[in-house]
Amino acid sequence: MNEFFSCYIRTLSPIHVGTDEVYEPTGFVVDEKDAVLIPFDPISFLASLSPDEKTRFSQICLKGTIGSILEIYKFLQGKSARGRQVKLTSGFVNHYRKTLSLPSGNDREIRNQLNQFTIGRTAFLNDGRPYLPGSSIKGSLRTAFLNARQKVKKLPPYRPNEAKKLEKDLLDGGSFDTDPFRLVKVSDFLPVGYVKTQIVYAVNHKKEKSDKEARGPYQILEVIEPGSLFQGSILFQHPERKAGIRIGVDTESVLGESEAFCDHQQKVEQGILNHLGMADNVLSRNGGSLIRIGRHSGAECLTIEGHRQIRVKAGRTQFKTMRQATTTWFASPEPRVDDPETPAPFGWCEVCPITAELEDRFFEMDSEWNKIREGQIRSDLAERERLEAERTAAEEEANRKAEEERLKAAEEEERKKRLEQLSPVEKAALRVGEPDVSENEVVDFYQKLSEFDNPKPLALALKEYWRRTGKWKKKDCSTKKQREKVAKIKEIIGEES
């Protein structure tokens, strides 16, 4: 009879399940003030940029050089974006600022620094939330199961290339068809509600106290924070009579063996932490069965006791094989472990059964998260529409101004053409009639009346100018000089004084 186990996983320490995905330089901004990384939707982000910024951003992206990656980071510095927020440590923010302060031109130095600034993403869903792949959970359960079989069979050490043979012998000569774990179906474990992630440094540290640091360089990883909840199921199928599967597996045996194996490994790890004077930053359990998953879970948790052949670095280019690893990895807020209270081991979780009460609670948490997400989607859509409306209005305004400038230029060109066809006196009369003509220009034109064979067009223009400025009628002429000018104009145009 098949056995269906509905359960949830609670994370007890930072978890990173790598998928070779990284946060691309063109896909996130860093809010230094709030210490969060914000992956953004490219369409919404581009809509928020001005036309000049879009052009500049596009030009940088098209370069495709090492230096251009640094230019992208610098371009995005201080920019705002909407999206999921990933917590940052102060160490990362300082690292980010230091990276952006690199001078351009030294491609080798930029390459070295950017290689250390790659941020690995943990496995995620389409909505951006992390999840725990069923393959990682099944792998952890299988390793614990094989260790339990080794305790029973006590097989002697095998050669390094005989790992597959070791597994078959532990499973009583089983092949894929007779492997009992073929009948164990582990679902992906999906997040319950909102699950927080954080960017940390994975730091390699020696298990024995030493003045020298471990050789392994740090890595920058996104991790699921301790206390996060994921819901899923494990199906234990009952083998058919002719299947040839001689080893039975069920919830009690598999989770019991995982608990025994992982509990032992955690106690060993706690002893190492105590020896190093470090805090044991692992959450207390709620009574579930212990498992360990994800990157940096420790070589001992991934191998079979009595058959461990762990490759350990013995020099710059030399390696040796040992039964125990000489270093361990910690999640740290800084690129190195300076404060013994801050690092935490990777990968610890517990598997717990789901009760009816918990199922209702998880449903409420998911419903609440979905409401928030739907609100964010509506808000993002409204923001995108607002930005699009602003962009359209800006384009229309730019087009209107461009059309005005075009018409103005066309009028100016037409004016120049007309001017070229006019006689000197007509040009002078035209200038006097223009609104921006100055008083000094008018006086100069008046004084040049005698230079023209036919001054009448200019005289008429001067008459109109003085009428417009209130200096034509006799009662408005406040000086004798102005009265003389008016009289001369009247004489030229044949008008009685």
Side-chain angles (χ1 to χ4, degrees), residues 146 174 268 288 434:
L146 289 170
V268 172
E434 290 177 342

Side-chain angles (χ1 to χ4, degrees), residues 287-490:
S289 299
L290 201 59
I291 63 169
R292 198 172 198 186
I293 62 172
R295 189 177 296 180
H296 302 313
S297 292
E300 290 79 9
C301 288
L302 303 173
T303 51
I304 300 169
E305 192 168 359
H307 296 271
R308 294 189 177 114
Q309 297 173 347
I310 299 169
R311 195 165 180 253
V312 176
K313 202 164 188 179
R316 187 175 293 274
T317 58
Q318 295 177 326
F319 293 87
K320 61 181 179 180
T321 300
M322 298 182 65
R323 291 187 177 183
Q324 299 291 331
T326 58
T327 62
T328 187
W329 289 88
F330 293 105
S332 169
E334 302 286 340
R336 47 186 290 172
V337 179
D338 291 325
D339 183 355
E341 295 296 319
T342 55
F346 282 95
W348 291 113
C349 311
E350 62 176 339
V351 182
C352 307
I354 293 181
T355 63
E357 182 182 353
L358 277 176
E359 200 154 356
D360 290 341
R361 180 185 160 210
F362 288 173
F363 179 80
E364 290 174 3
M365 292 171 67
D366 273 335
S367 297
E368 185 176 343
W369 181 83
N370 280 320
K371 285 180 184 177
I372 294 172
R373 181 168 179 262
E374 288 170 4
Q376 288 174 339
I377 291 172
R378 287 194 297 270
S379 177
D380 288 345
L381 180 60
E383 178 67 8
R384 189 183 300 179
E385 290 175 348
R386 184 186 69 80
L387 291 170
E388 182 65 21
E390 287 183 357
R391 184 189 64 78
T392 302
E395 287 181 356
E396 290 175 351
E397 179 63 14
N399 291 338
R400 185 187 65 78
K401 288 183 177 180
E403 181 64 13
E404 285 182 356
E405 291 295 324
R406 188 191 67 78
L407 292 173
K408 187 176 179 181
E411 289 173 1
E412 181 62 22
E413 185 65 26
E414 183 64 26
R415 177 179 170 277
K416 287 179 180 179
K417 287 181 181 178
R418 288 200 309 269
L419 280 174
E420 289 173 0
Q421 297 171 357
L422 296 177
S423 65
V425 68
E426 289 173 327
K427 289 179 182 179
L430 183 64
R431 177 58 186 152
V432 170
E434 290 177 342
D436 62 336
V437 68
S438 67
E439 184 69 27
N440 289 336
E441 286 181 279
V442 172
V443 172
D444 287 342
F445 284 129
Y446 172 78
Q447 292 172 349
K448 292 178 181 178
L449 280 167
S450 59
E451 297 178 7
F452 300 112
D453 293 335
N454 178 21
K456 188 172 182 180
L458 177 56
L460 288 169
L462 289 169
K463 171 187 174 181
E464 184 58 32
Y465 173 81
W466 281 322
R467 285 182 63 182
R468 191 169 69 246
T469 57
K471 294 182 180 180
W472 178 254
K473 291 183 180 180
K474 189 173 183 179
K475 64 177 182 178
D476 296 328
C477 296
S478 58
T479 63
K480 181 180 178 182
K481 230 179 223 187
Q482 181 62 24
R483 288 194 292 273
E484 289 174 352
K485 291 177 183 176
V486 171
K488 185 175 180 179
I489 294 300
K490 288 183 176 183

Side-chain angles (χ1 to χ4, degrees), residues 134-149 167 170-171 174-187 234-239 243-258 291:
S135 56
S136 293
I137 298 154
K138 184 174 180 177
S140 176
L141 295 174
R142 181 181 174 83
T143 300
F145 181 83
L146 289 170
N147 272 274
R149 294 291 299 166
E167 288 194 23
L170 287 173
L171 299 173
S175 62
F176 172 77
D177 289 338
T178 58
D179 186 334
F181 262 75
R182 179 173 68 84
L183 302 178
V184 179
K185 311 295 183 183
V186 183
S187 73
I234 305 174
L235 174 63
F236 297 91
Q237 293 178 317
H238 183 72
I245 298 176
R246 296 190 295 270
I247 302 170
V249 290
D250 55 25
T251 304
E252 184 178 354
S253 63
V254 169
L255 292 184
E257 286 158 2
S258 178
I291 63 169

